[in-house]
Amino acid sequence: MVHDEIEIVSDGNGIALLGDAGAIGRFLASEGLPSTDLGLHRLRAATSAGASALEAGSQIAGNSGRWVQLTEKSARAMKTMPLMKGSAAGSSRAVAMDGGKTGHILEIVRTPGAMLTNPAMLTGVAGLMAQVAMQQAMQEITDYLARIDAKVDDVLRAQKDAALSAMVGAQLVIEDALTIREQVGSVSDVTWSKVQATPATIAQTQAYALRQLDSVAQKLERASAVGDVAKAAQDAQSVVDEWLAVLARCFQLQDAVAVLELDRVLGAAPEEIEQHRAGILIARQKRLDTIARSTERLMMRMDAAAATANAKVLLHPRAAQTIKVSSGIVESSVVAFNDTLGVEAERESVAVRRWLDAATDARDRALESGATGIESAKGIGEQTLGRAKSATTRLTGAVTARATRKRPEITTGGEDD
């Protein structure tokens, strides 16, 4: 039986597994968890100074690191493992089963153990985890753009606006820097000097794309006639995907710059890596909040359009159908975009009613109203008939009385006749 020790670090977004490569591989296989190389070798710069440098260097060389995205499955694996008391203080033992038999025993250290006693190592690992998490997010955006078949690069190049055309160049610079980083293992002064001006260009493009989405929402808001609402909804359907794709690319490139930035800080000022990591995550969340507010405004206007369609579906069935289709497409686009970026938005869409449903409801209301009217008319008719009969009786009596009073006296002949 093999006893392996693995140290675990979690930052709330992912899990870092540190230790022997074979032990980590067996554990991940037993739990069926996908993982990404953490890139521990990048910490050599962070631990290159001080008395513990040699010890830290040997720990890095003798250990492997894998990053696991924090999902329901991975969280459940960490939470529901059959843990027992470990052989060292602060550790718990997880038994990994192989075909119903104990294949190996993993020492899951939940407090800083042998490898994490060096503070620089601990903060460095946190920095690496932030990098890998953002790289994972970048890949998800690439997959998203492929799914929606968004020719975002073509969209950017087709625009004459300076903010969008400049972003194409910024993207090329950032992609070159990432390629060099992978080959060299770090970000040099030369590489960083090429990249450090790109965030302003990306921010300018992001602001432009957000304004375009706001403009779509404003057109929907200004439309009053159902035909105008249908036209605005149809226009929204045709452009929203493109601007969401531009926003996604902006976010992707901002994450890429953050990855390079953390490498730069790790090499130049490793003692600042933790503060810089925290600052990057705060700025990232603010960008997400800004995007969330814009997409929420857009969906509120689409909901209002759906409400207009519901109110006018009987009189304008074709326009209502156009609004229904466009509203559904835009909502699906926004939901997919929000899911990809991790934007949390809780909303309940307004379902656009079909013409037949509205007509059926109108018929039911008419029948109900008609039945009530018939009963009322019936009651009124009966009352009128009763009053008419009473009036006729009184009139007949009065005529008879008048006729009796006016009838001339009839006399019979007497003796003179």
Side-chain angles (χ1 to χ4, degrees), residues 173 177 187-199 260 264:
V173 171
V187 178
S188 66
D189 291 341
V190 174
T191 301
W192 181 245
S193 66
K194 297 176 182 178
V195 174
Q196 60 184 352
T198 57
L260 296 168
R264 185 65 190 138

Side-chain angles (χ1 to χ4, degrees), residues 21-215:
I24 294 174
R26 287 190 292 272
F27 169 72
L28 292 172
S30 68
E31 296 296 335
L33 297 175
S35 66
T36 304
D37 180 29
L38 192 59
L40 281 181
H41 62 279
R42 299 184 188 279
L43 292 184
R44 289 192 177 95
T47 58
S48 60
S52 59
L54 184 60
E55 179 185 356
S58 63
Q59 289 173 350
I60 293 171
N63 286 280
S64 177
R66 303 291 297 181
W67 180 84
V68 177
Q69 188 171 17
L70 190 58
T71 61
E72 289 185 10
K73 183 177 181 180
S74 60
R76 190 165 56 247
M78 296 298 148
K79 191 175 182 180
T80 62
M81 286 185 299
L83 298 177
M84 301 174 293
K85 186 177 180 180
S87 59
S91 68
S92 297
R93 179 177 296 169
V95 181
M97 306 300 290
D98 182 12
K101 298 180 180 180
T102 302
H104 57 280
I105 294 179
L106 303 175
E107 296 282 357
I108 307 299
V109 183
R110 297 190 180 276
T111 57
M115 190 173 179
L116 299 180
T117 52
N118 186 333
M121 286 285 290
L122 184 58
T123 57
V125 167
L128 294 181
M129 292 174 69
Q131 284 181 307
V132 178
M134 285 185 285
Q135 287 174 304
Q136 176 68 24
M138 290 163 58
Q139 182 57 51
E140 290 173 1
I141 291 175
T142 297
D143 296 340
Y144 158 76
L145 294 174
R147 285 196 307 272
I148 67 173
D149 194 28
K151 304 295 189 294
V152 62
D153 292 331
D154 294 339
V155 172
L156 290 173
R157 291 188 178 96
Q159 298 293 331
K160 296 180 180 179
D161 188 275
L164 294 179
S165 59
M167 184 179 170
V168 177
Q171 178 183 333
L172 294 175
V173 171
I174 292 169
E175 289 174 349
D176 285 349
L178 289 172
T179 301
I180 295 171
R181 171 184 180 266
E182 288 302 312
Q183 294 297 318
V184 178
S186 61
V187 178
S188 66
D189 291 341
V190 174
T191 301
W192 181 245
S193 66
K194 297 176 182 178
V195 174
Q196 60 184 352
T198 57
T201 301
I202 301 168
Q204 192 175 5
T205 305
Q206 176 183 292
Y208 186 89
L210 289 172
R211 285 198 301 272
Q212 297 306 308
L213 289 182
D214 288 343
S215 176

Side-chain angles (χ1 to χ4, degrees), residues 21 55 57 60 97 104 124 130 140 142 153 201 220 224 230 238 249 263 276 288 318 320 325 334 359 365:
E55 179 185 356
I60 293 171
M97 306 300 290
H104 57 280
E140 290 173 1
T142 297
D153 292 331
T201 301
L220 285 164
S224 54
S238 65
R249 179 53 58 82
D263 259 2
H276 207 83
L288 283 176
R318 184 172 297 179
V325 172
V334 171
R365 287 196 302 271

Side-chain angles (χ1 to χ4, degrees), residues 237-303:
Q237 173 191 333
S238 65
V239 300
V240 163
D241 251 349
E242 291 183 357
W243 293 116
L244 290 178
V246 171
L247 281 177
R249 179 53 58 82
C250 286
F251 205 82
Q252 185 184 48
L253 293 178
Q254 286 161 334
D255 274 355
V257 172
V259 168
L260 296 168
E261 209 172 307
L262 285 172
D263 259 2
R264 185 65 190 138
V265 174
L266 195 60
E271 68 281 0
E272 298 176 5
I273 188 67
E274 176 57 24
Q275 296 93 324
H276 207 83
R277 180 190 71 88
I280 283 176
L281 295 180
I282 291 171
R284 189 178 192 271
Q285 186 58 50
K286 286 184 177 180
R287 291 198 303 272
L288 283 176
D289 293 342
T290 300
I291 292 171
R293 286 192 295 270
S294 182
T295 55
E296 182 61 23
R297 280 195 298 270
L298 175 61
M299 290 316 304
M300 287 175 62
R301 299 320 311 165
M302 294 305 299
D303 284 347

